Amino acid sequence: MEVASKTFFSSRLYAVAGASADKSKFGYKLLACYPTVSSVKELVSPSETSLSIVTQPHVTLKVLHEAKEAGIGCVWMQPGSFDDEGLEYAKQEFKAAVGGNEGRAGEGWCVLVDGDDASRRAKEEKL
């Protein structure tokens, strides 16, 4: 997952699918970190964008298909946003896919918990 997470943070742009205006939801916390879009189709430069996903698993697969069609290369599926089918699809279809039940928080790979180290490593490699 280290390579995938570094690749995710190597993108020029970032976006969130499924962010929420509800302060009690995890997706709300991501609003402060990344621009949000109501549809992947709204992204200006999808091939230069990494997409963080915080939707319910039954919605995530649809988002993944839209992301693939739009030309997004890297996705990060937040804890609780994927099932086995979505995770397998992402790993097969994207240049980099972060997701699974590991990660430092013990609940899955979280961009807010695990992302700092990956982002730092990606920036160091660009220098």
Side-chain angles (χ1 to χ4, degrees):
M1 214 47 69
E2 182 177 328
V3 172
S5 61
K6 283 193 305 190
T7 303
F8 178 90
F9 282 109
S10 296
S11 293
R12 189 174 73 82
L13 303 167
Y14 306 93
V16 177
S20 174
D22 181 342
K23 292 182 179 182
S24 69
K25 300 273 187 172
F26 175 77
Y28 179 81
K29 295 175 184 175
L30 291 174
L31 287 172
C33 300
Y34 305 104
T36 61
V37 294
S38 59
S39 169
V40 172
K41 296 172 186 174
E42 293 177 17
L43 294 171
V44 177
S45 300
S47 64
E48 299 177 73
T49 304
S50 285
L51 183 67
S52 179
I53 302 172
V54 287
T55 55
Q56 295 293 318
H58 69 279
V59 177
T60 296
L61 191 57
K62 179 180 180 227
V63 171
L64 289 169
H65 283 280
E66 289 175 0
K68 179 68 177 171
E69 185 177 308
I72 289 173
C74 305
V75 295
W76 191 306
M77 295 174 292
Q78 298 299 321
S81 69
F82 59 89
D83 54 19
D84 291 341
E85 181 181 9
L87 185 60
E88 189 62 32
Y89 177 83
K91 287 181 176 181
Q92 289 179 3
E93 298 296 327
F94 291 90
K95 177 181 171 184
V98 180
N101 295 321
E102 299 85 21
R104 288 189 339 211
E107 296 178 355
W109 293 96
C110 173
V111 74
L112 295 178
V113 175
D114 301 294
D116 287 342
D117 288 339
S119 176
R120 181 183 42 74
R121 287 191 308 272
K123 287 177 186 172
E124 288 171 355
E125 289 181 11
K126 284 184 181 180
L127 299 176

